[in-house]
Amino acid sequence: MIKRGVIGLQGFVWSPGFWNLYGEKVMREIENEPGITVGGHNTNHLRYADDTVLVADSSQKLQSLLDKVVAESAKVMGMSLNNAKKNNV
């Protein structure tokens, strides 16, 4: 049985808000990294709820983005990626 979530007990009413705050901190660390150009703006990630997609125009840039997200997530939230959910490009 899961007893703890991201912050606080599983189902704690503030957990989604905390998740968004910490997630925003992580994504701000990569906002100036290269991604793809959409409408004249650099875009290197897309987020919806607790899902995040990293985008880049080469596998090397994508790996660099992923490495930075992993490092920042560990630093900010003490969190690691779920390797079972990663998709190969």
Side-chain angles (χ1 to χ4, degrees):
M1 174 156 86
I2 297 173
K3 294 186 179 186
R4 294 190 63 82
V6 174
I7 299 176
L9 295 173
Q10 187 73 17
F12 182 57
V13 70
W14 290 358
S15 290
F18 286 135
W19 173 261
N20 286 333
L21 288 173
Y22 286 110
E24 184 64 25
K25 168 84 172 112
V26 170
M27 292 301 119
R28 285 186 182 190
E29 293 298 319
I30 68 161
E31 70 184 0
N32 293 321
E33 297 296 321
I36 60 172
T37 302
V38 178
H41 299 281
N42 180 54
T43 301
N44 58 21
H45 69 278
L46 303 168
R47 291 183 285 166
Y48 182 75
D50 64 345
D51 292 323
T52 301
V53 176
L54 301 176
V55 292
D57 61 5
S58 73
S59 59
Q60 293 82 12
K61 289 178 186 175
L62 187 58
Q63 185 63 54
S64 177
L65 279 173
L66 181 58
D67 293 343
K68 288 179 181 166
V69 168
V70 168
E72 195 62 28
S73 295
K75 184 170 74 174
V76 171
M77 297 189 274
M79 199 175 85
S80 62
L81 291 177
N82 181 348
N83 289 330
K85 291 181 75 173
K86 289 192 300 187
N87 295 319
N88 293 328
V89 178

